Structure formats: structure tokens, C-alpha cells
Amino acid sequence: MHALKLGHDEVHGLDIEVSFTITEVNKRELADLDQELFDKLFGEGAVKSVSEVRAKIKEDAEKQFVQQADQKLLNDVTEHLVENTKFDLPAEFLTKWMQTAGEKEMDADQAKEEYEKSEKSLRYQLIEGKLIEANNVQVTMDDIKNHAREMIKGQMAQFGQMNPSDKELDDIAARVLSNQEEARRISEQLVSQKLLSVYKEKANLKVKELSYENFVKEVYGDK
């Protein structure tokens, strides 16, 4: 009862008249399937008929499935590499290093627990470094800028801005990449994408065709 400035318990038993003024009523209506709607959804002239709209929606949905399948493959390969690439880590040294390396010092038990949680990640970082070197995987600043531009363009499209200018994209990308954490995140994402291409080219992969329901189970598990 914020309008009356009273608490929940205080309004019980009140016998008063309250007047409300309705200033606006909104309702949703189905849009006409015309060129004006198509241009708003997909950009001017991108599609010109209902059949092209259906094809565009199908194409976009397929892209999402490809992205999800690629992420599943990347996760599976990463797990396989960590589990099957055997080498020793200097566990004692790393555990002691963790005691003092962070902002807050740890005791021996805390450092041991932290090492056990981080061991797989540490192993994969070393494996990944070798794979990057062996396959000459490189990410340039132009790669990062172009990825940032495409990411921004996609986000703007979600809000109906289908055709931003190059200058607008460059300016926003520059602001995004001025954040070192964001630039590092994009760089790591691009490295993963390039390693995924290496895995697809060189790994002995098996293609599995699935129904939609089984695909969801495979990617997300039984939920």
C-alpha cells in the first residue's frame, strides 16, 4: 500500500473510499505481415515476403543450434584432453605459491583445497598453450576489433537498430575494448573458436544426428 503510505498490517480494517485516475490504457495487437514489419525485424529490404521471413527464422534457429553443438564439442574435447593427457604438476610448489599469491593469504589447508579445485584448469592452460603453439593459432588486434563490432551489431539489432554506421560501431567497439578485462575475454573466446576449428579438422570425430528433444538432453542433460 505504497500509495497510501501505510504498512501491510495497517490497512486491514480500513473503511475508506479511494479514487483512482486511469491516465493510459495499453493493449497489444498483432502486427500486419507487411514490408514495414519485415524491415523493423530484419533491416530494410532484407526480407520481402512471409516465406522469406520463415526462411530467415529457420536460418537463425539453425545458427543457434550450431553454436550450442560447437560449445558441447569444445567442452567434450577439453574434458577429454585433461583426462587423457598425463603429466605431473609441481603440486607442492603450486600449493605453497597459492598461499601467498592472492590478495588474501591462505593457510596450508585452504591452499590445498584451492589447488585441488584449480588443478584441471591449470592442466588445460598448459595443454592449450601447447596446442596454440603447435597449430600456430594467432589472434590479432584486428580479429578482436572485428569480433567486438559483430557482437555490438548483434546487440543493437535486438533493439531495432539494424544498420548502424561504421563510425558508430568503431566508437562503441573502442569503448568496449578500453576495458582490458573485456578485451581479454574476447581474445580468449577467439582462441577457443580457432582451436575448435583445429579440433574439427584434425580430431577423429563422430557425427551424431539427433532429434530436437535428444539434442537438448545431450547438450543440457536431463533437466
Side-chain angles (χ1 to χ4, degrees):
M1 306 271 24
H2 297 296
L4 299 176
K5 297 182 179 180
L6 295 173
H8 179 271
D9 294 334
E10 294 176 289
V11 299
H12 289 289
L14 281 180
D15 184 14
I16 59 175
E17 291 186 3
V18 180
S19 297
F20 295 94
T21 301
I22 299 174
T23 58
E24 187 178 61
V25 176
N26 294 313
K27 63 178 181 178
R28 294 186 179 184
E29 295 182 351
L30 293 176
D32 293 328
L33 291 173
D34 55 18
Q35 193 61 46
E36 181 182 359
L37 176 64
F38 302 159
D39 290 346
K40 285 181 179 178
L41 291 175
F42 303 107
E44 187 173 352
V47 297
K48 297 180 180 179
S49 67
V50 173
S51 61
E52 288 183 8
V53 169
R54 294 181 187 277
K56 181 65 175 172
I57 293 172
K58 180 175 182 290
E59 178 188 341
D60 290 345
E62 287 173 346
K63 285 180 181 178
Q64 290 184 10
F65 286 128
V66 169
Q67 290 172 355
Q68 292 165 351
D70 281 349
Q71 187 60 54
K72 170 66 173 170
L73 173 60
L74 188 61
N75 293 344
D76 287 349
V77 172
T78 299
E79 186 70 22
H80 178 82
L81 288 170
V82 170
E83 294 298 329
N84 292 278
T85 306
K86 304 299 182 183
F87 58 92
D88 293 328
L89 286 174
E92 184 177 350
F93 166 78
L94 289 171
T95 302
K96 288 182 178 179
W97 174 76
M98 285 181 174
Q99 284 186 255
T100 57
E103 294 181 2
K104 186 178 179 181
E105 287 195 14
M106 304 180 190
D107 61 31
D109 289 338
Q110 290 172 326
K112 181 180 178 182
E113 182 181 353
E114 185 64 26
Y115 171 76
E116 289 172 351
K117 288 192 293 186
S118 306
E119 184 181 0
K120 280 190 176 182
S121 175
L122 291 169
R123 286 183 178 278
Y124 183 68
Q125 286 177 32
L126 294 171
I127 295 168
E128 184 184 57
K130 288 292 185 181
L131 288 169
I132 289 170
E133 181 182 356
N135 293 280
N136 195 30
V137 172
Q138 297 180 12
V139 173
T140 66
M141 196 61 209
D142 282 342
D143 291 334
I144 295 172
K145 287 179 180 177
N146 290 334
H147 184 84
R149 280 170 53 94
E150 289 303 311
M151 178 182 69
I152 293 161
K153 193 174 181 180
Q155 291 173 347
M156 293 177 75
Q158 293 177 7
F159 294 95
Q161 295 176 269
M162 306 303 297
N163 296 298
S165 68
D166 286 340
K167 184 180 185 308
E168 193 173 8
L169 289 172
D170 286 339
D171 289 346
I172 298 173
R175 290 199 297 272
V176 169
L177 296 178
S178 66
N179 182 326
Q180 291 185 353
E181 281 296 310
E182 186 64 19
R184 182 181 61 81
R185 186 190 67 80
I186 291 174
S187 177
E188 290 175 351
Q189 193 174 37
L190 289 171
V191 167
S192 293
Q193 288 178 6
K194 294 193 175 192
L195 283 176
L196 180 64
S197 297
V198 172
Y199 301 152
K200 286 182 176 181
E201 178 186 350
K202 297 185 176 181
N204 183 21
L205 302 176
K206 295 180 180 178
V207 177
K208 184 191 294 185
E209 293 188 7
L210 299 169
S211 66
Y212 171 76
E213 290 78 10
N214 288 334
F215 176 84
V216 171
K217 288 180 181 178
E218 187 82 15
V219 173
Y220 299 106
D222 293 320
K223 294 183 179 180

